[in-house]
């Protein structure tokens, strides 16, 4: 193989922000994939608190939120013996490499990022520099470990493309062909983009003011069933093919959720339910969702009851993560020509 191509081992990295309780979108877009990947790959999963502070956070609750996301990782089935689980701010390599990458990334690349435009809103002059540079830190997260594969939801596609651009640019600028891999997103499949239950054109989000818009991992069976019953759909029965669902966003979303939970294709769901209305479909979907989510919620309560155990997992994870990142950072410093490297 050519020296211009990365030839190191495969490694998986992903991150979740400690900015609120996780929901079905996070589960299907991210956590469920993490749990499967830990069986087949070297995996590193990170609670990204440095990313969280790109928007205002309360210092009194940030570390609690970090523990909560860690607990959700564990309750969803991540095993600290199989995967490295840690907090971003506990490993210095992230901040250091982010600065270095700030000098490789180009303003024009960041100006195109749709998440920045969404989060900054109308008054982008008042947004923090950190919010603008957010995707550069994300590239540093991944590349500090030379990770090759990144499981994320559809909303992270553009950030992953930027990570590839940054890796390529660094390799070229410092004449270090193949030094960083060009990380590949793992996005495909139903569940990559779960939409709000109240508005099928908006993604399901932690920050939506309406709790009815999302199913939280902590919701009990009754709450889940009620939210699905109230989900916005239409009076038409389900068609026999996905094309016929165009323009019926709420309906398409529920079909997608069903498919992701059952581990089948959207078409397979329609093969089963074509001709039936939502009065028949929603109770089936509720049952499937309750069976997938309530065991996690119950386990979450158990894990949350032992914060000392969560802290032990995070301490051990930080040591293991540093041990992987530090030799890579030593090479980076040498490649750049820093004194003493
Ligand atoms: P965040 O909560 O923004 O840190 O997202 C954590 C992970 O969940 C990322 O991989 C996101 O892409 C994924 N994710 C967030 N919202 C959704 C959604 N509505 N559908 C699918 N994946 C999502
Ligand atoms: N930006 C991601 C999100 O909001 C979280 C994240 C930070 C991430 N660093 C990462 C995801 C590295 C994958 C890899 O969902």
């Amino acid at each position: 193989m050519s020296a211009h191509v990365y030839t190191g081992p495969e490694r998986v990295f992903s991150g979740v922000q400690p900015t609120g309780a996780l929901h079905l979108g996070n589960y299907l877009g991210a956590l469920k994939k993490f749990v499967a990947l830990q069986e087949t790959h070297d995996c590193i999963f990170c609670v990204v608190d440095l990313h969280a502070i790109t928007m205002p956070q309360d210092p009194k609750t940030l570390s609690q939120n970090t523990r909560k996301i860690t607990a959700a990782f564990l309750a969803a089935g991540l095993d600290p013996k199989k995967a490295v689980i840690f907090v971003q701010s506990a490993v210095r390599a992230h901040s250091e490499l982010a600065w270095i990458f700030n000098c490789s990334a180009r303003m024009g690349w960041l100006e195109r990022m749709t998440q920045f435009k969404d989060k900054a809103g109308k008054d982008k002059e008042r947004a923090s520099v950190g919010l603008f540079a957010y995707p550069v830190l994300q590239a540093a997260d991944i590349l500090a470990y030379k990770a090759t594969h990144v499981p994320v939801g559809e909303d992270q596609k553009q950030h992953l493309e930027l990570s590839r651009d940054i890796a390529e640019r660094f390799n070229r600028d410092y004449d270090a062909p193949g030094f960083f891999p060009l990380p590949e997103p793992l996005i495909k499949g139903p569940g990559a983009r779960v939409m709000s239950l109240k508005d099928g054109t908006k993604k399901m989000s932690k920050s939506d003011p309406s709790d009815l818009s999302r199913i939280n991992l902590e919701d009990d069976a009754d709450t889940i069933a009620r939210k699905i019953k109230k989900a916005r759909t239409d009076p038409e029965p389900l068609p026999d093919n996905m094309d016929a669902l165009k323009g019926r966003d709420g309906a398409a979303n529920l079909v997608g959720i069903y498919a992701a939970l059952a581990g089948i294709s959207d078409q397979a769901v329609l093969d089963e339910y074509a001709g039936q209305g939502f009065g028949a479909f929603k109770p089936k979907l509720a049952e499937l969702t309750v069976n997938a989510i309530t065991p996690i919620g119950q386990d979450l309560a158990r894990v949350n009851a032992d914060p000392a155990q969560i802290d032990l997992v995070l301490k051990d994870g930080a040591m293991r993560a540093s041990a992987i990142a530090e030799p890579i950072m030593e090479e980076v410093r040498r490649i750049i020509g820093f004194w003493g490297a």
Side-chain angles (χ1 to χ4, degrees), residues 16-17 23 25-26 29-30 152-153 155-156 191-194 204 206:
V16 178
Q17 298 191 68
H23 52 70
N26 299 123
V152 281
D155 60 348
Q156 294 302 310
R193 189 168 174 79
V194 178
M204 187 177 282
K206 290 169 185 166

Side-chain angles (χ1 to χ4, degrees), residues 167-204:
E168 216 171 7
R169 177 89 195 208
F170 179 98
N171 290 352
R172 190 155 44 84
D173 282 355
Y174 290 103
D175 197 18
F179 178 73
F180 282 122
L182 309 188
E184 277 181 41
L186 301 174
I187 295 178
K188 281 200 187 65
R193 189 168 174 79
V194 178
M195 309 309 279
S196 156
L197 299 179
K198 291 273 108 193
D199 178 352
T201 64
K202 285 198 327 207
K203 72 170 182 174
M204 187 177 282

Side-chain angles (χ1 to χ4, degrees), residues 91-123:
V91 176
R92 304 291 169 235
H94 296 256
S95 309
E96 183 183 355
L97 190 57
W99 178 259
I100 290 167
F101 283 168
N102 275 333
C103 305
S104 289
R106 292 292 168 261
M107 294 289 287
W109 301 354
L110 292 175
E111 269 158 8
R112 284 197 287 276
M113 296 292 119
T114 57
Q115 183 175 296
F116 174 74
K117 290 184 210 165
D118 290 348
K119 286 198 179 172
K122 283 194 199 74
D123 200 359

Side-chain angles (χ1 to χ4, degrees), residues 273-294:
Y273 289 99
Q276 301 192 38
F278 286 95
F281 182 71
K282 280 180 169 178
K284 297 283 187 199
L285 176 61
E287 192 184 320
L288 200 58
T289 313
V290 165
N291 287 341
I293 298 302
T294 53

Side-chain angles (χ1 to χ4, degrees), residues 19-23 26 68-69 206 214 216-218:
T19 48
L22 295 185
H23 52 70
N26 299 123
K68 273 193 192 153
I69 299 297
K206 290 169 185 166
R214 66 184 158 259
N216 302 303
L217 296 186
E218 287 161 343

Side-chain angles (χ1 to χ4, degrees), residues 53-288:
I53 64 164
T54 58
M55 299 293 268
Q57 301 296 328
D58 180 354
K60 290 195 201 70
T61 53
L62 183 60
S63 68
Q64 277 313 321
N65 287 339
T66 295
R67 286 195 190 92
K68 273 193 192 153
I69 299 297
T70 311
F73 280 2
L74 299 173
L78 284 184
D79 178 351
K81 288 198 217 54
K82 293 180 183 158
V84 175
I85 298 171
F86 78 106
V87 186
Q88 192 182 28
S89 62
V91 176
R92 304 291 169 235
H94 296 256
S95 309
E96 183 183 355
L97 190 57
W99 178 259
I100 290 167
F101 283 168
N102 275 333
C103 305
S104 289
R106 292 292 168 261
M107 294 289 287
W109 301 354
L110 292 175
E111 269 158 8
R112 284 197 287 276
M113 296 292 119
T114 57
Q115 183 175 296
F116 174 74
K117 290 184 210 165
D118 290 348
K119 286 198 179 172
K122 283 194 199 74
D123 200 359
K124 84 177 164 73
E125 296 301 311
R126 297 184 72 89
S128 73
V129 175
L131 188 67
F132 188 65
Y134 176 114
V136 179
L137 177 60
Q138 184 161 346
D141 296 341
I142 299 163
L143 294 167
Y145 304 92
K146 295 192 175 181
T148 53
H149 293 83
V150 186
V152 281
E154 177 81 36
D155 60 348
Q156 294 302 310
K157 193 165 176 228
Q158 199 185 31
H159 287 166
L160 263 291
E161 279 159 12
L162 186 89
S163 295
R164 294 169 66 88
D165 290 343
I166 290 175
E168 216 171 7
R169 177 89 195 208
F170 179 98
N171 290 352
R172 190 155 44 84
D173 282 355
Y174 290 103
D175 197 18
F179 178 73
F180 282 122
L182 309 188
E184 277 181 41
L186 301 174
I187 295 178
K188 281 200 187 65
R193 189 168 174 79
V194 178
M195 309 309 279
S196 156
L197 299 179
K198 291 273 108 193
D199 178 352
T201 64
K202 285 198 327 207
K203 72 170 182 174
M204 187 177 282
S205 155
K206 290 169 185 166
S207 58
D208 194 311
S210 166
D211 195 55
L212 284 175
S213 70
R214 66 184 158 259
I215 289 166
N216 302 303
L217 296 186
E218 287 161 343
D219 287 344
D220 61 23
D222 288 346
T223 309
I224 292 173
R226 187 166 48 85
K227 285 179 176 176
I228 290 179
K229 196 167 173 204
K230 291 193 163 191
R232 185 134 177 208
T233 46
D234 55 51
E236 300 296 315
L238 282 164
D240 61 6
N241 68 85
M242 284 306 286
D243 278 348
L245 275 179
K246 289 234 165 70
R248 296 174 64 189
D249 300 306
N253 186 35
L254 296 194
V255 170
I257 292 173
Y258 191 108
L261 286 170
I264 59 179
S265 67
D266 292 336
Q267 184 56 49
V269 178
L270 295 182
D271 290 345
E272 199 175 333
Y273 289 99
Q276 301 192 38
F278 286 95
F281 182 71
K282 280 180 169 178
K284 297 283 187 199
L285 176 61
E287 192 184 320
L288 200 58

